[in-house]
Amino acid sequence: MSTTVQASAMSTDEMLEHWQGHRRLTRRLIEAFPEDQLFTFTIGGMRSFGVLATEMLTMAEPMVSGVVTAEWITSWDRSEKTKQEVLKSWDESTARINELWKQIPAERFHETIKAFGQYEGTVWSLLMYVIDNEIHHRGQGFVYARALGIEPPPFWERQ
């Protein structure tokens, strides 16, 4: 006779805090970027950090909103063109994520959904993808910052 025991690595509140720690770090990196380089500086044909930051905005809040409402924003156009606009949108998105997160029942994280009409997975795996994507693009931003002679914030400081 086999018995399956389900263990939890972290609670949903801990998952949100982990993500928001990454968001705080990414925000500090956006702040550290020179205004005139945020949307123009690139290396090796990669997109600018400003474009990467706006991509993160198109994924984070829309993913959480879609999980809550089952309505998926498919327009990826963003209007941010300055560092202040990106930071303002970042802060608004962070607050909205916190509000929406409270509306996700814990059992929902194990449901399979199709995000944006095309990405199928469990809610938790899709949210982890968004977090992983942010970490990946922030790493690109760290490389850009160093190439510009800017010391990026320590990656382990997420408070």
Side-chain angles (χ1 to χ4, degrees), residues 27-93:
R27 188 189 193 288
R28 285 199 305 278
L29 182 60
I30 295 166
E31 283 181 307
F33 245 80
E35 174 75 35
D36 65 334
Q37 300 293 320
L38 184 62
F39 285 96
T40 60
F41 186 79
T42 65
I43 296 175
M46 294 188 297
R47 295 172 289 162
S48 71
F49 188 55
V51 169
L52 298 174
T54 56
E55 177 188 297
M56 292 179 232
L57 287 167
T58 67
M59 294 177 70
E61 180 187 340
M63 179 65 79
V64 178
S65 179
V67 167
V68 170
T69 66
E71 296 173 13
W72 298 96
I73 299 168
T74 56
S75 171
W76 299 97
D77 295 330
R78 297 295 304 197
S79 62
E80 295 84 5
K81 300 293 182 228
T82 68
K83 179 164 69 169
Q84 285 314 108
E85 290 172 343
V86 171
L87 290 170
K88 181 178 185 284
S89 292
W90 196 268
D91 293 342
E92 291 168 353
S93 175

Side-chain angles (χ1 to χ4, degrees), residues 47 49 52 55-56 133-141:
R47 295 172 289 162
F49 188 55
L52 298 174
E55 177 188 297
M56 292 179 232
N133 186 68
E134 178 180 334
I135 294 166
H136 165 71
H137 287 323
R138 187 178 62 236
Q140 289 173 272

Side-chain angles (χ1 to χ4, degrees), residues 1-14:
M1 179 174 168
S2 173
T3 303
T4 302
V5 177
Q6 180 149 352
S8 175
M10 68 173 64
S11 71
T12 58
D13 288 344
E14 290 167 329

Side-chain angles (χ1 to χ4, degrees), residues 83-132:
K83 179 164 69 169
Q84 285 314 108
E85 290 172 343
V86 171
L87 290 170
K88 181 178 185 284
S89 292
W90 196 268
D91 293 342
E92 291 168 353
S93 175
T94 297
R96 186 76 176 126
I97 289 166
N98 286 337
E99 291 171 19
L100 290 165
W101 196 271
K102 297 173 196 171
Q103 299 175 48
I104 307 172
E107 61 275 5
R108 180 108 166 95
F109 285 82
H110 293 282
E111 290 180 20
T112 298
I113 62 171
K114 191 174 273 192
F116 306 103
Q118 59 185 336
Y119 306 109
E120 188 170 322
T122 57
V123 168
W124 73 264
S125 68
L126 293 165
L127 290 165
M128 290 302 294
Y129 175 81
V130 172
I131 297 167
D132 291 345

